[in-house]
Amino acid sequence: MGVRKRLSKKKDGGGETAIAASSVPAHDELLTGRTPDGKAFAVPKTRDMLQSLFNPVTPKTTFDIITLVTLSTHMVVALVLPLATRRAVLMAGFAFWRLCYNGGLGWILNWQSSRHGLVALFKRNGWLDPNRGGRVYTWLRSELEAKMGPGYSFESVPIEFNVWLLYRQLVDLVLLNDFATYFFLCSCYLGSANDTEPWHAFLRIAGGLTLLAFNLWVKVDAHRVVKDYAWYWGDFFFLVEQSLTFDGVFEMAPHPMYSIGYAGYYGGSLITGSYTIFYASLAAHMLQFLFLSLVENPHIEKTYERPPLAIQVIQKSRIRRMSAPMSDISDSARDTTASVGDACKVSIRERPTSLWHPELIVFKNFDLLRASDVLILLLLVYSVGVPLCFWWAFGHSQMVFVYSAAQCIIWVLFRTL
């Protein structure tokens, strides 16, 4: 479900071939998809997941029924079982569905990205082939046609698109259950906080609701921009010919679906006032970043152009200068010497500091003559040393709390105003 900010990949002829998150075309305009073997096709429009799942009029597929049954099971657990039991069951359920998301779906995507494994599995077994698939083919085709509606033609799209549609239904099953178990788990921990003052509870709940509302806006705005193609990792199966345009939430943070898009976890932690919920939320968020690092980023770098490293830019610049024609250099030996000397100085300045001085790791490689190291030392003294001095001088932690709160307010106001 995560959105990936892509770099356009240019053809040899200069045109753009692919993209992911992008502006939405007009309603009557279909995207053009392209399979890994170069076959082009019109990408059919997909139905909204919530409407197709919860609208009683919409035909339900087998995957939809399984999803609704599992969601109902979590609800029954949250309403019927004793408090201690339902906490344990829902915590185990949340851990299971979160691992299914980051571990299971991540493994499938990585397999598909590296070897086109999921599509190859369907091709090898003929599950979407009318001559070899038999009952499996008939069942899967009926599932897809019921899910997509009358505007969808099974034969007019390649197998990559149909496999992606089946993968989407697996994603819906996992993600909805992941959300449901977390929601019901939070409901089991309501009232866990021991607020000493009523205004403490008010601020805590108000902050949590604000984070939940912000999280909802991030998800809705991200889906407005990327639509189902990037929302369901479509570029692991096929590419679409569309140029990149980012706006809204994508202007706020990198990878917003995986960073600020999980603010609701911390909103739930504030509302419940439970450290159990907080640590579960933190662990789930860290798993999401692992998913980004191990699954999505490698696919992005393989599929789209990777921005060059700074050292690569410097090396190319040096090669261009060295290969410049001699006529560009002054005829005078004095001018030549000066030009070479200036070029050497520029070359040295362009090199990253890490080429001649190792980077600071905690306090290892600390250098008093390097401005950034001195700044870090001053920040440590200011943020840690001064509060410790207050603690030593006054003998209690109240002054440390007042000092820290005052500093927090001052610097927030300074940054804002």
Side-chain angles (χ1 to χ4, degrees), residues 269-334:
S269 303
L270 283 175
I271 292 173
T272 59
S274 169
Y275 278 101
T276 302
I277 297 296
F278 172 71
Y279 290 131
S281 303
L282 191 62
H285 202 182
M286 292 303 102
L287 284 175
Q288 196 64 31
F289 280 118
L290 284 176
F291 176 87
L292 173 66
S293 300
L294 300 178
V295 178
E296 290 216 27
N297 281 343
H299 178 75
I300 293 172
E301 294 172 1
K302 183 179 71 172
T303 307
Y304 304 93
E305 286 184 357
R306 179 179 181 179
L309 300 175
I311 186 62
Q312 294 173 339
V313 175
I314 293 171
Q315 291 173 349
K316 291 180 180 180
S317 177
R318 184 184 299 120
I319 292 173
R320 284 196 300 268
R321 288 197 300 270
M322 294 178 64
S323 61
M326 294 300 294
S327 59
D328 294 340
I329 305 176
S330 174
D331 295 335
S332 170
R334 181 177 179 179

